[in-house]
Amino acid sequence: MNTKYFPLDKTELEKITQRYPTPFYIYDEKAIIENVRRIKAAFSVFPSYKNHFAVKALPNPYILKILAAEGFGADCASYPELLLAEAAGMKGEDIMFTSNETPASEYNYAQKIGAVINLDDFSHIEFLEKKCGLPELISLRYNPGPIKEGNAIIGKPEEAKYGFTREQIVQAYALLKKKGEGTSLPKRFALHTMVASNELSVPYHIETAKMLFELAVEINAKTGVRLEFINLGGGVGIPYKLDQEAVDYNLLACGIQKVYNEIIEGSGLAPISIRTEWGRVVTGPYGWLVARAVHKKEIYRNYIALDACMADLMRPALYGAYHHITIPGKENAPLDETYDVVGSLCENNDKFAIQRKLPKVVTSAEAGNDGDFAVIHDAGAHGRAMGFNYNGKLRCGELLLRTDGSIVQIRRPETPEDYFATLDLSSLKGFESLA
């Protein structure tokens, strides 16, 4: 791959910004739907398949509603995310509640709406039973520890705070099965793991599936529990860099099917439904942060400053993550300038790109009017979702390019009133320091 897809040209962006000034996120509805359908087609080789979209990747009910209409569910980690999934029309077991260190009130709400509760620790069984009661269907999250490698973003499994050990998870299913004897609950069981993030290796994900299928056989042999579904987790990556290749869904699904047939079919445990909690790969390539070049600074390095900042997209600062940047209208211009592309935050790591080759960028300060656009690619997951308000920065809005070509605003930009909304200013008058 030597280019990056973007559905709009400079003229169309100029028209959009007459109504919606930069910076903003924009998502391509048609491309997201087509991608969802490719995923479903690939995994149709299994008796049953559902993806629970990781709401944390793009927590906007308009996007979730698009996914729900295509048969996707949601993976939620908090009460507000549960509310978002509900607002999008997702119901009951379409929703998985995969949280950790969870308060009873959130478990209660998940139970109330019939979501699948995915427990993160052995001690949570007793906590859930005492505070909420055990549900009919319960899932447990497995942490394989040193037998499985993680990757740079999520870290080593043995150092992660998530999930049961292998010994604990077998004991947990035995305990839950015993509790479910007679008329008590639970009666149905599921298994889940999440061991990597943004992983492009197909063999890695097939090996993860094999690990879970073998664990399912062990659980059945030692406890008698037959799993209803296995959630392979998320972690499938996207090609942020031009020299990377996208994951081949068909190759991945066929590889997982092969080990499913060998292990699950071979042990007589079929059918077991296959689930995933893909987020990044679903929407990531089909969302962009659009900004304007405002200032240019030439000191020991040359800098291009945008009207967006790390508060809008923190992945480069947090992970050193690469996001490709293009300058609309200059797609074919020579990349003969080298810039750090930065924002206005009072942090030196507020950089979208470091020593990036770009065409010559014209800024608003130079032009006397609007400067060049900068399109930051692959921002459709873990982009706006990770925004924050440090330095009093106001998070930008979100637009949706509909299938008919129209543009709708699906989240407005924040205002100063939003920033101050949680402060109780009524008692500020007359307030005196304790010093």
Side-chain angles (χ1 to χ4, degrees):
M1 181 175 65
N2 55 20
T3 60
K4 280 283 185 181
Y5 167 72
F6 184 62
L8 303 166
D9 61 27
K10 183 179 180 181
T11 301
E12 291 168 320
L13 279 178
E14 293 284 8
K15 183 178 180 181
I16 291 168
T17 54
Q18 291 175 12
R19 183 172 183 184
Y20 304 111
T22 56
F24 55 74
Y25 277 87
I26 187 163
Y27 311 108
D28 186 337
E29 179 182 23
K30 181 173 181 289
I32 291 172
I33 291 172
E34 290 174 348
N35 188 39
V36 166
R37 292 177 180 176
R38 288 193 295 270
I39 293 169
K40 291 195 301 181
F43 280 80
S44 66
V45 296
F46 293 100
S48 173
Y49 169 75
K50 180 180 283 289
N51 183 61
H52 298 270
F53 178 76
V55 175
K56 62 179 177 287
L58 183 47
N60 189 300
Y62 289 86
I63 301 297
L64 297 180
K65 193 172 182 65
I66 292 168
L67 300 178
E70 293 295 317
F72 274 18
D75 181 81
C76 302
S78 68
Y79 173 62
E81 288 189 354
L82 291 170
L83 295 178
L84 283 170
E86 282 191 290
M90 297 173 181
K91 301 181 183 298
E93 293 177 12
D94 287 341
I95 303 170
M96 280 198 72
F97 187 50
T98 304
S99 60
N100 61 93
E101 317 313 333
T102 308
S105 60
E106 297 196 5
Y107 278 138
N108 267 314
Y109 192 78
Q111 286 253 53
K112 177 182 175 182
I113 65 173
V116 180
I117 292 179
N118 188 25
L119 292 181
D120 187 62
D121 185 70
F122 198 97
S123 66
H124 296 173
I125 297 173
E126 182 180 3
F127 179 83
L128 181 65
E129 185 174 30
K130 286 183 177 180
K131 299 291 185 179
C132 316
L134 294 173
E136 178 185 355
L137 169 62
I138 195 159
S139 178
L140 303 182
R141 179 172 182 166
Y142 174 52
N143 182 332
I147 69 169
K148 180 71 175 175
E149 291 185 3
N151 65 8
I153 293 179
I154 206 167
K156 298 178 180 179
E158 66 266 32
E159 296 175 0
K161 66 176 183 175
Y162 310 110
F164 293 68
T165 67
R166 195 178 193 94
E167 181 181 10
Q168 286 175 337
I169 208 162
V170 172
Q171 292 173 352
Y173 283 113
L175 176 62
L176 289 166
K177 183 174 183 289
K178 184 176 181 180
K179 288 179 180 293
E181 292 174 355
T183 58
S184 301
L185 299 176
K187 299 292 187 185
R188 302 156 60 206
F189 304 93
L191 173 65
H192 165 273
T193 199
M194 176 72 180
V195 291
S197 182
N198 195 39
E199 178 57 61
L200 290 168
S201 168
V202 168
Y204 182 95
H205 295 293
I206 294 172
E207 183 60 33
T208 298
K210 180 175 183 289
M211 174 188 73
L212 291 175
F213 297 158
E214 290 173 343
L215 179 56
V217 173
E218 180 182 346
I219 289 166
N220 177 255
K222 292 182 176 179
T223 70
V225 165
R226 293 176 65 102
L227 297 174
E228 183 170 316
F229 71 80
I230 295 175
N231 188 327
L232 306 177
V236 173
I238 60 176
Y240 287 99
K241 297 181 179 180
L242 292 178
D243 61 354
Q244 294 175 321
E245 293 292 332
V247 168
D248 184 323
Y249 300 146
N250 291 309
L251 183 65
L252 175 58
C254 287
I256 295 173
Q257 182 193 33
K258 183 175 183 293
V259 293
Y260 177 94
N261 291 343
E262 291 172 357
I263 300 170
I264 300 300
E265 292 275 3
S267 62
L269 293 180
I272 295 179
S273 175
I274 298 301
R275 310 285 180 94
T276 51
E277 59 173 63
W278 291 0
R280 186 192 313 270
V281 75
V282 176
T283 58
Y286 312 111
W288 302 265
L289 175 58
V290 180
R292 289 269 195 186
V294 180
H295 293 288
K296 181 179 293 182
K297 184 180 179 72
E298 297 176 347
I299 49 173
Y300 307 106
R301 290 184 176 183
N302 292 338
Y303 297 87
I304 292 296
L306 306 182
D307 57 5
C309 71
M310 174 183 166
D312 297 304
L313 177 64
M314 71 182 298
R315 291 190 72 254
L318 184 63
Y319 302 124
Y322 179 94
H323 282 265
H324 195 64
I325 299 175
T326 53
I327 309 300
K330 299 181 178 180
E331 291 88 351
N332 298 316
L335 307 179
D336 51 10
E337 300 288 338
T338 302
Y339 302 110
D340 281 14
V341 182
V342 304
S344 59
L345 207 67
C346 294
E347 291 288 337
N348 196 46
N349 64 343
D350 180 19
K351 297 181 179 183
F352 298 110
I354 297 174
Q355 294 295 277
R356 185 71 59 86
K357 291 286 188 181
L358 292 172
K360 183 177 176 60
V361 176
V362 177
T363 69
S364 300
E366 294 172 297
N369 49 32
D370 293 327
D372 284 334
F373 289 108
V375 172
I376 302 176
H377 292 258
D378 300 307
H382 308 286
R384 175 59 172 75
M386 296 175 75
F388 57 95
N389 288 127
Y390 181 64
N391 255 176
K393 295 298 181 181
L394 304 175
R395 289 170 288 190
C396 66
E398 295 174 296
L399 307 179
L400 181 65
L401 173 61
R402 301 301 310 273
T403 56
D404 63 3
S406 62
I407 301 289
V408 295
Q409 183 173 255
I410 59 174
R411 188 192 301 271
R412 63 166 175 79
E414 289 183 332
T415 66
E417 289 74 21
D418 296 322
Y419 182 73
F420 291 113
T422 55
L423 290 173
D424 182 3
L425 299 178
S426 62
S427 58
L428 184 62
K429 185 178 180 180
F431 179 80
E432 296 180 358
S433 172
L434 295 177

